[in-house]
Amino acid sequence: MSDQSFQALALQTIAVLQIQSGFASQALKTADIIPIIRHWHLPEIAAAFVDIDDKANFKNLLIPCAYYLDAAYRMCGHLAKLYPQQASAVAKVVSELN
């Protein structure tokens, strides 16, 4: 594992722990400085917001994840969990993209 890969994983872990400890705004700042492999780490951080049902802070990761197709798809799964009443609408939009 390269130094930057290790750093990215460490920052992801720190951000998740910050979320779990009630420091959501700091977690977003931590997420913002992840240097590489953002398409993997940002949805993982978003999942921590889903776990605590923090829709407001989750939404802050939508745009950064939209730059990566795989991250965008993972975020759609998270959206379905946060907004179960809209899950079929999310699935419909995703299926129309293919």
Side-chain angles (χ1 to χ4, degrees), residues 33-49:
I33 62 172
I34 292 176
I36 62 170
I37 321 170
R38 293 174 60 80
H39 64 96
W40 179 258
H41 297 293
L42 295 181
E44 291 294 313
I45 294 167
F49 284 124

Side-chain angles (χ1 to χ4, degrees), residues 42-94:
L42 295 181
E44 291 294 313
I45 294 167
F49 284 124
V50 172
D51 290 343
I52 63 167
D53 198 37
D54 186 342
K55 294 176 178 132
N57 285 302
F58 170 85
K59 290 176 185 178
N60 287 307
L61 294 174
L62 286 172
I63 298 299
C65 287
Y67 289 103
Y68 312 99
L69 185 59
D70 59 328
Y73 279 123
R74 291 173 64 201
M75 293 298 280
C76 288
H78 295 325
L79 281 168
K81 290 177 187 173
L82 276 178
Y83 300 95
Q85 67 280 11
Q86 298 296 323
S88 61
V90 170
K92 182 178 182 222
V93 169
V94 171

